Amino acid sequence: MIVYAYYGFGKTTLCENNKFSPFIEIDEEFGQADDMHVLKQLSKHSILLVNGHIGLDENDDITIDVAFLPRNVNIAVNRLQQRGVDASFLTYMIETYDDVLQAVIKKARNVVFYEENEYLIHHAYELMHGQQLLEQYNDNNNTETRYTS
């Protein structure tokens, strides 16, 4: 399974605190064209957590099973600002969020827009146990998805 999780959603924390879980965080540097085959193979047995531009290229044949994006980019910016992330990267996030959003919507089977106090750990159980996602629904152009048991 390939899970796209936007910056600041807790990929590193989830992986560091759950060493024996099926989650593997994939760094953006891994996402070169030659690595896409490796990603596909790894995703058969693990839950890959990606972000940045990994899997968003229209020319690759990677499918993102579920994507987590902040309902508002400022949610992620505030989190990373509290962690001391460089201001130039925060500016980059703000400037590219709409492009990332459009690419994710094109490439992901399911999209979940998260709120201020929501992190990847809140969805880990559902991801690990393969529970089905509800179909996306559109409410005033805000696509939203939630898990069902």
Side-chain angles (χ1 to χ4, degrees), residues 35-105:
D35 298 328
M36 290 301 122
H37 176 71
V38 174
L39 274 181
K40 287 177 74 172
Q41 292 303 313
L42 282 172
S43 71
K44 292 178 182 177
H45 307 289
S46 300
I47 300 171
L48 305 183
L49 305 175
V50 302
N51 69 6
H53 295 283
I54 297 176
L56 297 184
D57 188 338
E58 291 180 11
N59 298 322
D60 67 38
D61 62 347
I62 298 295
T63 299
I64 296 170
D65 296 292
V66 62
F68 293 94
L69 294 171
R71 183 163 300 286
N72 178 309
V73 71
N74 290 327
I75 293 171
V77 169
N78 292 340
R79 289 177 183 184
L80 295 179
Q81 200 168 32
Q82 291 173 3
R83 296 180 196 172
V85 171
D86 187 73
S88 64
F89 185 74
L90 300 176
T91 300
Y92 166 79
M93 286 174 49
I94 293 167
E95 291 173 351
T96 61
Y97 180 74
D98 289 336
D99 293 335
V100 169
L101 173 63
Q102 293 307 313
V104 166
I105 288 172

Side-chain angles (χ1 to χ4, degrees), residues 7 104 107 111:
Y7 305 107
V104 166
K107 293 285 294 201
V111 177

Side-chain angles (χ1 to χ4, degrees), residues 23 34 48 50 55 64 98 105 109 114 117 129 135 139 148:
F23 296 102
D34 297 340
L48 305 183
V50 302
I64 296 170
D98 289 336
I105 288 172
R109 289 185 179 145
Y114 60 85
N117 295 318
H129 296 283
E135 290 296 315
D139 180 19
T148 184

